[in-house]
Amino acid sequence: MDACSDPAIKQVVVMAGAQLGKSEALLNIIGYHVEHDPSPMLMMQPTVEMAQSFSKDRVTSGLLATTPSLRGKVKDPRSRDSGNTTLHKTFPGGALSMVGANSPAGLASRPIRVVLCDEVDRYPHSAGEEGDPIALATKRTLTFWNRKIVLVSTPTDKNNSRIEQAYEESDMRQFYVPCPHCDEHQVLKWANVKWDNGKPSTAGYYCDECGCKWSDAQRRKSVSMGEWRAKTDFQGVAGFHISALYSPWVTIEDAVDEFLKSKRDPMRLKTWVNTFLGETW
């Protein structure tokens, strides 16, 4: 979210596991622009149906209804000339359009300053016969010097993943956290999760440097003290990768239990790699 309000950053890429707050961050970015920096915005979901659901459940019933500073910014849809429909909402100084990546009509005709693309690895390769949906949306931003393009997704298959390719073209930031025992900063890796054979209850995370075992409470505290570090030079694109090992809602025992249940079924293991590790298969 800080990167999305940094004028030096033109594009933000987030490759992450499932249920790590990606969509919530996009909602916060929308709320920020409605309240503080009104702009024409576009939120793209994989399909029109998903865009409608996102609008009803997350934007209208969630963001706009429960955030005190945003109440009244978008008129009631029942009022005449409200500028508020399911897929298009106007507010003073800007508008939010929500489209499906499979709908070329929704990607044309209006200038956009902020493009938010959710779950891009689930987009079709072409929006009808119009071409790549992300490229179509990005073209709408060309008249804005302060444009912002945000790509977010859990990854899918290697060599066929939009989000992995975009991440590899960024400065490739990873989240480093300090060991509670030796203070060595490190990226959390699945290779450092260890357990007794077939017993998830014995699982723990072990430090890269000193080899000490972390409790879940220690892991959560370390995550709260972490920082992003880039692997390559910054050239206008900030990229972030993170796995569910950083999640405050997942225990190491539960993670190992799910891994053991998945590892004998290639399709189930693929889902685990994509959604837990946030890595391509």
Side-chain angles (χ1 to χ4, degrees):
M1 290 189 292
D2 288 342
C4 289
S5 56
D6 185 336
I9 297 174
K10 299 299 182 186
Q11 182 167 313
V12 177
V13 178
V14 181
M15 181 170 73
Q19 298 301 307
L20 284 170
K22 301 187 300 298
S23 295
E24 195 66 35
L26 295 178
L27 284 166
N28 292 342
I29 294 163
I30 291 170
Y32 170 82
H33 282 285
V34 172
E35 173 70 8
H36 298 290
D37 190 10
S39 309
M41 295 182 281
L42 180 73
M43 161 60 78
M44 192 189 306
Q45 295 286 340
T47 66
V48 174
E49 292 76 16
M50 291 177 71
Q52 291 172 332
S53 176
F54 185 88
S55 175
K56 294 174 183 176
D57 300 338
R58 305 296 295 274
V59 176
T60 301
S61 300
L63 180 71
L64 298 177
T66 63
T67 309
S69 64
L70 299 182
R71 289 179 191 149
K73 291 285 186 179
V74 177
K75 292 182 180 179
D76 189 304
R78 293 167 293 184
S79 64
R80 180 174 295 185
D81 300 325
S82 71
N84 181 355
T85 65
T86 300
L87 295 179
H88 186 69
K89 300 182 184 299
T90 61
F91 50 88
L96 171 65
S97 301
M98 288 161 280
V99 302
N102 61 344
S103 173
L107 300 177
S109 79
R110 50 174 76 100
I112 300 293
R113 178 187 159 200
V114 179
V115 174
L116 307 173
C117 300
D118 197 11
E119 294 300 346
V120 300
D121 268 21
R122 285 147 186 83
Y123 288 5
H125 289 291
S126 178
E129 297 180 355
E130 302 294 325
D132 178 63
I134 297 176
L136 291 173
T138 300
K139 286 180 180 178
R140 314 309 320 164
T141 70
L142 293 180
T143 55
F144 291 92
W145 67 269
N146 56 351
R147 61 187 175 274
K148 193 77 64 177
I149 299 154
V150 184
L151 309 180
V152 168
S153 192
T154 51
T156 50
D157 297 333
K158 195 160 190 67
N159 300 322
N160 195 34
S161 171
R162 275 191 173 96
I163 199 67
E164 184 179 57
Q165 179 180 345
Y167 177 72
E168 290 175 346
E169 293 170 354
S170 73
D171 59 1
M172 301 178 69
R173 304 181 193 193
Q174 294 179 299
F175 203 64
Y176 283 74
V177 303
C179 172
H181 304 283
C182 70
D183 203 40
E184 178 71 16
H185 281 65
Q186 58 202 272
V187 175
L188 299 185
K189 300 187 289 286
W190 183 248
N192 289 356
V193 176
K194 302 174 184 178
W195 62 93
D196 293 342
N197 189 34
K199 297 179 179 179
S201 62
T202 64
Y205 188 87
Y206 290 81
C207 174
D208 237 359
E209 182 68 19
C210 69
C212 289
K213 182 178 180 180
W214 304 6
S215 67
D216 279 319
Q218 289 173 323
R219 177 176 56 90
R220 293 186 190 103
K221 183 176 181 181
S222 291
V223 169
S224 73
M225 301 164 64
E227 62 182 16
W228 291 103
R229 296 181 183 177
K231 291 173 67 176
T232 61
D233 293 337
F234 173 73
Q235 296 182 341
V237 182
F240 303 86
H241 175 255
I242 200 163
S243 76
L245 282 171
Y246 294 86
S247 173
W249 303 292
V250 175
T251 67
I252 295 297
E253 179 181 345
D254 288 344
V256 170
D257 184 55
E258 184 60 31
F259 169 73
L260 292 175
K261 291 176 180 176
S262 304
K263 70 174 187 176
R264 292 183 179 86
D265 181 344
M267 292 311 296
R268 189 170 176 179
L269 183 59
K270 174 184 182 297
T271 299
W272 184 85
V273 168
N274 293 160
T275 61
F276 186 87
L277 297 183
E279 297 176 359
T280 51
W281 174 253

